[in-house]
Amino acid sequence: MALTRSVAALKLSRNVPIMSRLAYYSQDGGAGAIREAGGTFGKKEAADEERYFRKMQTEQLKTLKTHLDEEITFHQQRMKEHQDAIDIHQKRITELEQKKKA
């Protein structure tokens, strides 16, 4: 049975291109094989990766800034509401003290 599997795998592997087999059997899964090969394609791959991650980072920073701006606005509104409540309570205390004196 094991021999049959080996023969079947060998027949199947003949139909698969060599680079696919190398990537399939490599330890790291073949990730970055073109970049590791060097040359013009490696440089292009490195530049494409850098561009992609810079774009992703820019989008993440933009999203973070928008979120933080919304948080600041929310907390400023809450501060105003609390300050208004404090003013109302202080006014009531002042009125009660004036009634007490009268």
Side-chain angles (χ1 to χ4, degrees), residues 11 13 23-24 27-28 32 34-35 38 52 68 75 94 101:
K11 286 180 182 178
S13 68
Y24 180 75
Q27 292 293 332
D28 62 353
I34 292 175
R35 187 174 183 178
Y52 171 78
L68 291 175
H75 289 297
T94 305
K101 289 181 183 179

Side-chain angles (χ1 to χ4, degrees), residues 1 4 38 49 58 63 69 72 95:
M1 182 105 170
T4 308
E49 281 184 23
T58 302
T63 303
D69 287 340
I72 289 170
E95 290 173 358

Side-chain angles (χ1 to χ4, degrees), residues 4-20:
T4 308
R5 286 184 193 162
S6 300
V7 172
L10 181 61
K11 286 180 182 178
L12 179 64
S13 68
R14 289 181 185 162
N15 296 331
V16 179
I18 293 173
M19 289 304 292
S20 295

Side-chain angles (χ1 to χ4, degrees), residues 3-102:
L3 182 60
T4 308
R5 286 184 193 162
S6 300
V7 172
L10 181 61
K11 286 180 182 178
L12 179 64
S13 68
R14 289 181 185 162
N15 296 331
V16 179
I18 293 173
M19 289 304 292
S20 295
R21 280 188 279 158
L22 289 176
Y24 180 75
Y25 291 116
S26 69
Q27 292 293 332
D28 62 353
I34 292 175
R35 187 174 183 178
E36 291 172 4
T40 306
F41 288 116
K43 290 178 184 177
K44 182 182 181 312
E45 180 70 20
D48 288 344
E49 281 184 23
E50 292 298 322
R51 189 176 313 113
Y52 171 78
F53 286 113
R54 262 196 317 272
K55 182 180 176 184
M56 182 186 294
Q57 183 181 29
T58 302
E59 291 172 1
Q60 288 174 342
L61 289 173
K62 183 179 176 183
T63 303
L64 178 62
K65 183 184 181 306
T66 302
H67 176 71
L68 291 175
D69 287 340
E70 290 171 356
E71 289 252 342
I72 289 170
T73 302
F74 171 77
H75 289 297
Q76 286 174 338
Q77 289 173 348
R78 296 293 293 174
M79 285 174 40
K80 183 183 179 307
E81 291 171 4
H82 286 296
Q83 188 60 49
D84 291 344
I86 290 170
D87 293 340
I88 289 170
H89 291 307
Q90 286 178 339
K91 182 179 176 183
R92 289 180 70 193
I93 290 171
T94 305
E95 290 173 358
L96 290 172
E97 287 176 352
Q98 288 176 354
K99 283 184 181 180
K100 184 179 179 183
K101 289 181 183 179

